[in-house]
Amino acid sequence: MESGNCCSRGRPKKEPGTLQKSLSIFEEDYWAINQQLSYLLKSTNALIVLLIDRTGQVITSAGDLSRLDVPSFASLQAADVAATSQLASLIGEKEFGTLFHQGRRDSIYVALINSNIILVVIFDDRATLGLVRVRVKTVGEQVARIFERIFAKLDRKPVATPGFDDDFALEAEAEIDNLFK
Amino acid sequence: MSLINYASREINCKIVYYGPGLGGKTTNIKYVYSKIAPETRGKLISLATELDRTLFFDFLPVDLGTIRGFKTRFHLYTVPGQVYYNASRKLILKGLDGLVFVADSQADRLDDNIDSLQNMYENLDTHGLRIDGMPFVMQWNKRDLPNVSPMDELDAVLNTLNVPYFPAIATQGSGVFETLKEVSKMVLRALSQQ
C-alpha cells in the first residue's frame, strides 16, 4: 500500500496560472453597494438582504445575519440560480431574471443583477412582495451600475492586489500547513 | 474566480473535486470535515440521493485564518460522478479556482477515470476555462484495495499534464490533507501571481 506523498514525474512542473481574474472590490464601491442594500432593507421592511456572486460567495449583506448559516445559504442560493438558469435554457428562455420562494412565514426573492451577481431578499409578512419587487428593481439597477464601474476598473488595470506578493503566498502556505496537520 | 473584498478584508476561493462516480470525492470532503477544528469550518452541505450518491454537490467552507489581515476561506465542492448528472457537473465548475481529480485506482475503473477526465476537460471548455496552467492536482484513491493499477500506469494514462499527484485511502484519511494542501497552496500562489 502506498499513500500520502506527492509524486510527479521528471518533466518540469507547470507553474500554476490563473483561471479568471479575481473579482476585487475596493472600499468606495463596497460602501456604495452597502448603502443601496441598507436602503433596500429599510424601505421594504425585509429581514436580510444579501449580495452574492454566481459561485456562491457572499459579497456583502444588510440585516441581522446571526441566525443564518450564511456560507451554506449563499452556496445553495447560487446553485438554485444556476439550476434555474439551465431550466430556462431547456425551455428556450435566455434566463429567468427573478426567482421567488414563498414560505409560510419567510420568503425569498432573488434577482439577477448581471451575469455574475445575485441579489437576495429574505422577508416575512411585515413586507409585501409587490414592494420588494419594485424596490429590488430600482436598487438592482443602481448596484448593476456600481458593478459596471468595478469591472471597468478591473479591465483598465491588471487587478491591483496590494499585499498579495510572494510573502503572502509563503504566509498562506504556513497557515495551510498549520490547518491541515 | 476568487473574490477579494478589500473593504471587509476577505478572500474566498473555490476548489472543486472531480472524478468518476463512487471514486471517493465525498469521502475526501467528509474526512476534512471530521478532522479540522469546528471553529475553522462551516456546515457540510450534501445534496445526495437516498442511496448517498451525490445528486448536485457537496459543499464545505473552510476558514484558513487571517493572512495579512485578510480572512481567507476556501469553498470545497464535489461534483456528482454519475454520468447522468453532467448538467450539474458543468454548473459546479463555474468560477472555480482549483481542481482536484479523484481517480479510482481499481484496474477495472480505469476507463471510467478516462471518461470522467475527458468529460471534465469538455465541461471546462464550455466555461471557456483552460486546464493548462490551472491549479490542478490528481489523487489516486483506494490504494488499499487489492486490484489497483500501479501508480506509474495511472500517472502515464491520466496525468498527461504532469500535475502533482497523491496516492490516497480517503476512507482512512490517508492522502486527503496532502491533496488539499497542495491544491490550496497552488490557488494562493496563483492569486499572488496575478
Side-chain angles (χ1 to χ4, degrees):
Chain A
M1 186 280 288
E2 337 87 326
S3 69
N5 298 310
C6 172
C7 316
S8 64
R9 274 171 277 147
R11 297 200 301 270
K13 245 195 258 178
K14 286 186 171 67
E15 284 300 314
T18 54
L19 306 168
Q20 296 159 292
K21 278 181 186 170
S22 302
L23 171 57
S24 299
I25 298 177
F26 294 89
E27 297 272 348
E28 183 194 353
D29 299 318
Y30 181 76
W31 295 118
I33 294 167
N34 272 0
Q35 200 176 13
Q36 291 295 327
L37 299 198
S38 296
Y39 166 74
L40 179 58
L41 184 85
K42 285 187 189 137
S43 65
T44 58
N45 251 338
L47 300 170
I48 295 170
V49 178
L50 284 170
L51 197 67
I52 63 179
D53 73 4
R54 290 285 286 249
T55 70
Q57 312 195 70
V58 179
I59 298 167
T60 185
S61 63
D64 178 12
L65 299 178
S66 60
R67 288 194 299 164
L68 184 70
D69 178 349
V70 177
S72 300
F73 183 90
S75 159
L76 290 169
Q77 188 58 71
D80 184 19
V81 168
T84 306
S85 163
Q86 292 301 303
L87 290 173
S89 71
L90 288 176
I91 63 163
E93 280 290 331
K94 192 171 171 221
E95 191 82 85
F96 292 131
T98 58
L99 310 178
F100 176 50
H101 300 299
Q102 184 168 22
R104 273 196 301 184
R105 191 194 60 188
D106 295 345
S107 300
I108 304 174
Y109 186 80
V110 182
L112 300 185
I113 298 301
N114 60 30
S115 60
N116 285 311
I117 310 297
I118 301 163
L119 180 60
V120 187
V121 182
I122 304 172
F123 59 97
D124 62 14
D125 52 15
R126 287 175 299 165
T128 62
L129 174 60
L131 187 60
V132 169
R133 198 190 293 269
V134 169
R135 293 278 193 259
V136 162
K137 190 164 187 311
T138 319
V139 167
E141 285 166 3
Q142 295 294 327
V143 173
R145 268 187 222 120
I146 297 169
F147 273 95
E148 277 169 24
R149 209 162 68 204
I150 291 171
F151 288 124
K153 271 186 211 167
L154 295 177
D155 282 343
R156 267 204 305 277
K157 50 181 180 182
V159 185
T161 50
F164 298 116
D165 50 14
D166 289 346
D167 287 345
F168 169 83
L170 287 175
E171 217 171 296
E173 287 182 17
E175 287 292 336
I176 289 169
D177 286 333
N178 191 38
L179 180 64
F180 302 129
K181 273 195 275 204
Chain B
M1 183 180 69
S2 48
L3 172 65
I4 304 171
N5 192 329
Y6 286 89
S8 59
R9 313 289 288 177
E10 287 176 352
I11 302 170
N12 288 306
C13 303
K14 177 176 181 178
I15 293 174
V16 176
Y17 285 72
Y18 211 98
L22 297 174
K25 302 176 289 299
T26 300
T27 311
N28 263 268
I29 288 213
K30 281 186 173 166
Y31 182 81
V32 173
Y33 178 80
S34 70
K35 289 297 174 188
I36 58 173
E39 62 273 18
T40 62
R41 53 146 163 89
K43 194 186 277 183
L44 174 65
I45 298 278
S46 201
L47 302 185
T49 66
E50 284 175 11
L51 297 172
D52 230 15
R53 302 288 300 264
T54 304
L55 174 66
F56 197 172
F57 60 82
D58 306 305
F59 167 72
L60 176 64
V62 177
D63 284 329
L64 194 59
T66 301
I67 305 167
R68 294 274 178 103
F70 282 82
K71 191 176 173 191
T72 307
R73 171 180 282 160
F74 285 109
H75 289 181
L76 310 183
Y77 284 83
T78 68
V79 299
Q82 287 174 282
V83 175
Y84 183 72
Y85 295 123
N86 195 43
S88 304
R89 271 194 296 280
K90 262 188 218 169
L91 298 180
I92 312 291
L93 286 179
K94 191 174 169 68
L96 89 169
D97 296 294
L99 200 47
V100 176
F101 184 84
V102 180
D104 188 328
S105 292
Q106 297 177 91
D108 59 1
R109 299 293 315 275
L110 188 60
D111 285 348
D112 294 336
N113 290 324
I114 294 168
D115 289 347
S116 175
L117 197 58
Q118 189 55 39
N119 172 260
M120 184 181 87
Y121 293 148
E122 286 165 11
N123 284 339
L124 286 171
D125 201 42
T126 62
H127 289 295
L129 299 171
R130 283 175 44 237
I131 186 74
D132 195 26
M134 179 184 292
F136 176 33
V137 303
M138 300 187 110
Q139 183 186 83
W140 315 143
N141 193 20
K142 308 194 183 184
R143 298 308 298 172
D144 54 330
L145 297 184
N147 57 336
V148 294
S149 302
M151 293 216 298
D152 284 353
E153 185 185 338
L154 292 170
D155 184 39
V157 175
L158 300 174
N159 191 9
T160 52
L161 291 169
N162 192 27
V163 298
Y165 61 88
F166 298 84
I169 306 167
T171 49
Q172 299 169 20
S174 173
V176 170
F177 278 169
E178 289 80 354
T179 306
L180 179 54
K181 255 187 197 172
E182 182 63 24
V183 73
S184 306
K185 288 178 181 180
M186 289 168 95
V187 167
L188 290 170
R189 252 177 258 146
L191 193 65
S192 69
Q193 285 168 8
Q194 272 186 6

